[in-house]
Amino acid sequence: MIEIRGWRRDNGDFGIRNHIVVLSSVACANHATLEIARRTGAIPVIQEEGACGMFGEDRKRFIRCMVGVGAHPNVAWTLVVGLGCEGVDSHQLADKITNKGREAESLLIQEEGMKKTIEKGVEIINRIKKSLKPREESGTLEELIIGLKCGASDYTSGLISNPAVGKAVDFLIEHGATVMFTERLEVVGAEHILAKRARSKKVAEDFLRRIKKAVEDVNRIGVDWIGSQPSMGNIRGGLTTIEEKSLGAIKKTGNSPLEGCVDYGERPKGKGLCFMDGPGYDVKAVSGLMCGGANIILFTTGLGTYLGSPVSPVIKITGNPKTAKLLADAIDVDLSFILKEIVSKGTSLDELLGLGGKRIVEKIISVANGKLTKAEKSGHIEFSIERIGITA
Amino acid sequence: MKAVIMDEKDSVATAVVPIKKGEKVRIGETEIEILSDIPQGHKFAIREIKAGEPIIKYGEIIGIATEDIKPGEYVHVHNVKSRYQRGYK
């Protein structure tokens, strides 16, 4: 059995990091949040928009995502910082996090003033820091939630990195892990394959309904897909249509059955493969997976990206030799040997992908046990919640 | 190897190195003469595809040919349309 050392939370969740998070609930509180984080070394989660100007489903989704951050398995403790007049109350957000059996406190700038908010925040976090426990509890792969994402895709994504991740995912799911993939528009043209793999008719219908809605949403605004899906970068990289991109993208999911679907930022309801109904845009997709509790996110890339996440370590994987070399300070798993061996020796692709999958699993285990990813080392904390409606 | 296919049903192959016009590339048992330069990672037809016929990669439909495509011909956005692209019926 593969053992992982981490932190067992009071609600039973298993974390592989023990972050103290300063969570801004609205962009108006970003300054205080960043300042508290700068003075304490806590991880800031800042908002592009946040708790203000939202209606209906957006508001529900925002609350779910914020609770997802505070109650994330990799988070030890959360300080929610708000301005005060915004649509979602920060004190209530902290309560919702503690109701999940996790720890949180809150500060409002309009109740304290800026200077005192920052000073109080620093004081609280310095106190919490002293109470943190070391990495000592043991867990297994069964307890991990792994998120999947691909970005800046090119021909190597569908040929090498995505199918290699698929091999790793088959191994993880055999060992009882939970795996989430997302990117609703990057399933278009390949949805029939996943629907066939659905655990039940109900799951298949739910999945197909979500993808159909995504297509209708794009067509309703009367735009041409080309240039967006696939993007101009994808086209330069050799991808011709959304179908080609999707068929390559879903290789990440391996061959396991599709167990269910969840909404954006929602925690999977059981083990095995789960679809999160989220966008393809890297920052919003990774943020959704993070809010859904992903302990680790596997990110395959063709042309390369430096993207990270505040609390879910992002493991970047490429099969593109140029990217592996040029963006070596971003790439955690370099699979460019696969392309080189195909060209020089004509080795079977499947055999090489098996090797690639093994390397990915090894990296997951070492990152789960504390080894920092390149994005963690360089302090990447990109975060943005997908909004669906109008802003008030 | 200069090019790979993802599934035996495929009608296109992916160049894993840049391929020049006039080069001959072996795909399984057959040898195909390349009709125009193919950038690395881009695709060429490995059999004749008529306008309106599906383009097959991964053993699945990745789009529809908008013109007749000969074996060895470059296959990309200039001669393929997504089934989801506006105006496609």
Side-chain angles (χ1 to χ4, degrees), chain A residues 9 17-23 36-37 40-45 74-79 121 124-132 310-311:
Chain A
R9 307 301 175 194
R17 296 289 183 269
N18 209 32
H19 294 311
I20 298 178
V21 163
V22 202
L23 174 61
I36 294 167
T40 57
I43 304 262
V45 176
N74 292 356
V75 172
W77 192 91
T78 303
L79 174 66
I124 294 169
I125 287 175
N126 284 336
R127 166 169 53 83
I128 297 301
K129 266 180 168 167
K130 288 181 195 138
S131 69
L132 290 186
V311 304

XYZ file of all heavy atoms in Angstrom, chain A residues 9 17-23 36-37 40-45 74-79 121 124-132 310-311:
263
model
N -7.980 16.009 9.258
C -8.826 17.082 9.788
C -9.905 16.507 10.711
O -10.245 15.322 10.602
C -9.497 17.850 8.634
C -8.523 18.362 7.574
C -7.476 19.296 8.150
N -6.480 19.679 7.123
C -5.321 20.252 7.420
N -4.980 20.490 8.677
N -4.479 20.575 6.455
N -1.167 19.520 2.609
C -0.531 20.789 2.967
C -1.252 21.281 4.210
O -2.373 20.853 4.492
C -0.643 21.839 1.843
C 0.083 21.471 0.550
C 1.602 21.545 0.711
N 2.297 21.267 -0.551
C 2.689 20.047 -0.935
N 2.422 18.976 -0.189
N 3.346 19.889 -2.078
N -0.635 22.209 4.944
C -1.249 22.708 6.175
C -1.276 24.235 6.141
O -0.767 24.893 7.039
C -0.451 22.192 7.381
C -1.322 22.039 8.605
O -2.509 21.733 8.503
N -0.739 22.258 9.781
N -1.905 24.756 5.113
C -1.885 26.195 4.874
C -2.736 26.989 5.852
O -3.834 26.576 6.199
C -2.412 26.506 3.469
C -1.543 26.009 2.374
N -0.182 26.240 2.339
C -1.827 25.281 1.260
C 0.320 25.683 1.245
N -0.650 25.091 0.587
N -2.212 28.165 6.239
C -3.056 29.179 6.847
C -3.440 30.106 5.709
O -2.568 30.602 4.990
C -2.301 29.974 7.935
C -1.884 29.035 9.065
C -3.173 31.112 8.468
C -1.087 29.725 10.158
N -4.746 30.322 5.533
C -5.228 31.112 4.400
C -5.840 32.428 4.878
O -6.576 32.448 5.864
C -6.270 30.300 3.591
C -7.086 31.186 2.668
C -5.571 29.204 2.783
N -5.489 33.527 4.206
C -6.223 34.781 4.392
C -7.103 34.909 3.166
O -6.612 35.021 2.043
C -5.311 36.033 4.436
C -6.038 37.168 5.147
C -3.997 35.745 5.080
N -8.394 34.829 3.390
C -9.352 34.776 2.290
C -10.076 36.108 2.169
O -10.877 36.477 3.028
C -10.347 33.638 2.556
C -11.535 33.476 1.602
C -11.076 33.193 0.188
C -12.435 32.332 2.090
N -1.808 41.440 5.124
C -1.746 40.462 6.225
C -0.874 39.268 5.797
O -0.020 38.798 6.547
C -3.162 39.995 6.641
C -3.960 41.159 7.239
C -3.088 38.833 7.631
C -5.461 40.904 7.386
N -1.090 38.824 4.556
C -0.319 37.677 4.048
C 1.166 38.021 3.959
O 2.034 37.228 4.340
C -0.856 37.269 2.680
N 2.803 37.929 7.366
C 2.762 36.687 8.153
C 3.241 35.458 7.389
O 3.526 34.428 8.005
C 1.315 36.374 8.599
O 0.499 36.292 7.411
C 0.776 37.445 9.533
N 3.274 35.546 6.078
C 3.618 34.357 5.287
C 2.413 33.451 5.050
O 2.540 32.365 4.487
N 1.213 33.893 5.482
C -0.003 33.119 5.195
C -0.284 33.180 3.690
O 0.251 34.044 2.988
C -1.187 33.695 5.970
N -1.117 32.267 3.198
C -1.426 32.234 1.762
C -2.624 33.149 1.481
O -3.704 32.933 2.030
C -1.791 30.804 1.306
C -0.683 29.822 1.655
C -2.182 30.785 -0.177
C 0.267 29.485 0.570
N -2.462 34.167 0.636
C -3.619 35.007 0.318
C -4.468 34.403 -0.809
O -3.931 33.906 -1.789
C -2.967 36.314 -0.154
C -1.647 35.892 -0.727
C -1.225 34.618 -0.031
N -5.775 34.450 -0.632
C -6.689 34.114 -1.729
C -7.444 35.395 -2.024
O -8.232 35.859 -1.200
C -7.666 32.979 -1.344
C -8.662 32.721 -2.482
C -6.903 31.708 -1.018
N -6.426 20.765 2.389
C -5.041 21.245 2.515
C -4.922 22.494 3.378
O -3.828 23.026 3.541
C -4.453 21.568 1.130
C -4.254 20.339 0.269
O -4.482 19.227 0.720
N -3.826 20.540 -0.966
N -6.049 23.001 3.873
C -6.032 24.238 4.663
C -6.209 23.912 6.144
O -7.121 23.168 6.523
C -7.152 25.201 4.172
C -7.284 26.405 5.090
C -6.856 25.661 2.742
N -5.322 24.472 6.972
C -5.404 24.237 8.409
C -6.388 25.207 9.061
O -7.139 24.850 9.965
C -4.026 24.420 9.033
N -6.376 26.448 8.578
C -7.089 27.507 9.278
C -7.275 28.688 8.328
O -6.410 28.968 7.519
C -6.236 27.913 10.494
C -6.952 28.769 11.453
C -7.673 28.354 12.534
C -7.015 30.195 11.426
N -8.202 29.441 13.166
C -7.814 30.582 12.522
C -6.500 31.176 10.577
C -8.100 31.905 12.789
C -6.777 32.499 10.839
C -7.572 32.857 11.946
N -8.423 29.383 8.455
C -8.738 30.474 7.519
C -9.162 31.757 8.228
O -9.969 31.705 9.163
C -9.886 30.047 6.573
O -9.500 28.856 5.894
C -10.197 31.125 5.534
N -8.621 32.880 7.776
C -9.105 34.192 8.207
C -9.831 34.819 7.020
O -9.238 35.056 5.974
C -7.934 35.089 8.632
C -8.309 36.536 8.968
C -9.189 36.608 10.217
C -7.059 37.394 9.161
N -5.353 41.045 12.070
C -5.156 39.869 11.230
C -3.785 39.250 11.458
O -3.655 38.033 11.607
N -3.704 37.561 14.916
C -4.441 36.281 14.935
C -3.611 35.200 14.248
O -3.438 34.092 14.780
C -5.819 36.421 14.223
C -6.742 37.365 14.997
C -6.480 35.055 14.065
C -8.011 37.755 14.232
N -3.054 35.525 13.087
C -2.324 34.502 12.324
C -1.040 34.089 13.044
O -0.712 32.899 13.090
C -2.081 34.970 10.877
C -3.425 34.890 10.149
C -1.035 34.112 10.168
C -3.440 35.413 8.769
N -0.356 35.042 13.640
C 0.852 34.669 14.386
C 0.526 33.738 15.553
O 1.309 32.844 15.878
C 1.590 35.927 14.867
C 2.336 36.587 13.704
O 2.671 35.931 12.710
N 2.589 37.888 13.812
N -0.639 33.948 16.157
C -1.083 33.047 17.244
C -1.376 31.657 16.672
O -0.920 30.645 17.223
C -2.339 33.646 17.909
C -3.105 32.689 18.809
C -4.178 33.402 19.634
N -5.113 34.213 18.860
C -6.197 33.733 18.243
N -6.474 32.446 18.281
N -6.997 34.543 17.572
N -2.107 31.599 15.547
C -2.480 30.308 14.943
C -1.238 29.527 14.506
O -1.152 28.314 14.701
C -3.420 30.528 13.723
C -4.729 31.179 14.159
C -3.673 29.238 12.959
C -5.540 30.411 15.177
N -0.263 30.250 13.947
C 0.976 29.607 13.462
C 1.611 28.714 14.528
O 2.109 27.633 14.229
C 1.979 30.683 13.068
C 1.970 31.058 11.604
C 3.008 32.110 11.495
C 3.534 32.591 10.303
N 4.301 33.816 10.433
N 1.581 29.203 15.774
C 2.220 28.464 16.880
C 1.488 27.157 17.194
O 2.065 26.265 17.803
C 2.265 29.351 18.142
C 3.276 30.474 18.010
C 3.318 31.319 19.273
C 4.049 32.628 18.984
N 3.398 33.777 19.591
N 0.205 27.100 16.808
C -0.576 25.910 17.182
C -0.589 24.833 16.094
O -1.204 23.789 16.265
C -2.017 26.327 17.498
O -2.661 26.740 16.299
N 0.098 25.098 14.962
C 0.052 24.129 13.854
C 0.777 22.835 14.199
O 1.850 22.845 14.791
C 0.668 24.725 12.584
C -0.103 25.833 11.878
C 0.583 26.192 10.569
C -1.554 25.452 11.625
N -3.672 28.758 -5.005
C -3.304 29.075 -3.618
C -3.120 27.839 -2.721
O -2.174 27.780 -1.969
C -4.481 29.929 -3.137
C -5.069 30.524 -4.376
C -4.875 29.489 -5.443
N -4.021 26.860 -2.825
C -3.925 25.746 -1.865
C -3.804 24.343 -2.468
O -3.479 23.408 -1.744
C -5.093 25.781 -0.838
C -5.139 27.105 -0.134
C -6.427 25.452 -1.451
